[in-house]
Amino acid sequence: MSHYLKQIELLRSLQKVDDDIHSIRKELEAAPQEVEDLRRRLAEVSDQRARQQDKITHLRDQERRLDTEIEDDSARLRKSKGKLMGVGNSREYHAMVREMDSLERVNRNREEEKVALSDEMERQTSLQAEVDARSIALEKELSDCESGLQSRMEAAEARLAALLLKRNEAAHEVPAPVFSRYEFIRERLEHPVIVPVANGVCSGCNISIPPQNYIELQKAAQILSCPNCQRLMFWIEASPAETEGI
Ligand SMILES: [Zn+2]
């Protein structure tokens, strides 16, 4: 194997370890975020529950108010009926009958209002049951996620520690100047550092490299950087379909 190819191979081995480190670091960042997302969703549902409770309280108040009004006017009606027989002249009698008719009409309207309120109460109560169920499910999900988080984080940290050791070994294999170049890029660019080029396209930035650079790359004489994204490149003789997963 040529000197060049050996170096590329060592860099790719190092990159493979860094790929694993990269995905574990992502996992470590994402795990607490899941708990945070669940907490936020639960807080939203709690707000919904409170609003739902307010609506139901408001409906109950309205029901109570109607009941009181119906009760008061019914008492007035009973009182008027009792007096009606004792009324002396017909003018007073008719005035009382008109007043009683009006009280009865108002109470009938209130009874209709009560039916509408009761329908609305039924609707709101079933909505409340839905929100309560959602809240209970979320609480369970959150508590499962929280209790799993600690062990997941510990497992990921342990894997990370093992990978960092493996990385040290892989890094030692790479000649110092090449390793410095790799590290220089790793510290400044998005993951990854070394990328395959197939059919003249850099897989780091998905941009075609100029023909002159492509010819140089295929000569396999020295390690080259992509003129666009600056990542280290190596040439693979393959169609795009075959490069998937590299
Ligand atoms: Zn590139």
Side-chain angles (χ1 to χ4, degrees), residues 211-231:
Q212 188 52 44
N213 296 78
Y214 195 41
I215 292 163
E216 281 298 311
L217 183 68
Q218 284 169 309
K219 280 184 189 161
Q222 55 171 325
I223 297 167
L224 297 174
S225 285
C226 167
N228 180 58
C229 71
Q230 311 304 322
R231 288 185 177 86

Side-chain angles (χ1 to χ4, degrees), residues 64-233:
R64 256 198 299 275
R65 176 181 57 77
L66 281 174
D67 282 340
T68 310
E69 286 172 357
I70 289 169
E71 191 47 52
D72 288 353
D73 280 352
S74 298
R76 281 172 67 193
L77 264 171
R78 279 194 302 274
K79 225 167 134 190
S80 297
K81 267 180 194 154
K83 277 190 198 162
L84 202 56
M85 288 308 143
V87 171
N89 69 67
S90 75
R91 199 169 60 85
E92 204 181 329
Y93 180 87
H94 286 300
M96 275 188 81
V97 168
R98 269 200 305 279
E99 195 203 330
M100 284 164 67
D101 281 350
S102 147
L103 283 175
E104 271 171 353
R105 196 166 47 245
V106 169
N107 262 1
R108 271 199 304 277
N109 288 342
R110 286 180 183 132
E111 292 292 350
E112 278 166 23
E113 214 182 313
K114 268 187 75 176
V115 171
L117 267 181
S118 156
D119 287 349
E120 181 60 11
M121 182 65 108
E122 205 175 303
R123 208 173 68 84
Q124 294 298 342
T125 306
S126 108
L127 282 175
Q128 189 187 34
E130 278 172 33
V131 177
D132 285 352
R134 212 158 354 129
S135 172
I136 289 165
L138 263 179
E139 271 169 25
K140 164 106 176 67
E141 201 182 333
L142 175 61
S143 105
D144 288 352
C145 192
E146 276 174 332
S147 59
L149 177 66
Q150 188 64 22
S151 58
R152 271 164 64 203
M153 297 285 275
E154 279 166 14
E157 293 283 3
R159 271 185 292 141
L160 182 60
L163 278 169
L164 289 173
L165 286 177
K166 198 171 159 191
R167 177 175 210 273
N168 262 343
E169 286 167 24
H172 267 102
E173 299 281 318
V174 183
V178 180
F179 179 64
S180 302
R181 202 168 150 194
Y182 179 96
E183 288 293 83
F184 185 87
I185 295 168
R186 188 177 65 84
E187 284 157 17
R188 285 164 184 78
L189 294 181
E190 283 282 309
H191 184 89
V193 176
I194 182 162
V195 293
V197 172
N199 300 320
V201 177
C202 165
S203 67
C205 59
N206 286 315
I207 288 175
S208 293
I209 58 171
Q212 188 52 44
N213 296 78
Y214 195 41
I215 292 163
E216 281 298 311
L217 183 68
Q218 284 169 309
K219 280 184 189 161
Q222 55 171 325
I223 297 167
L224 297 174
S225 285
C226 167
N228 180 58
C229 71
Q230 311 304 322
R231 288 185 177 86
L232 304 179
M233 334 178 262

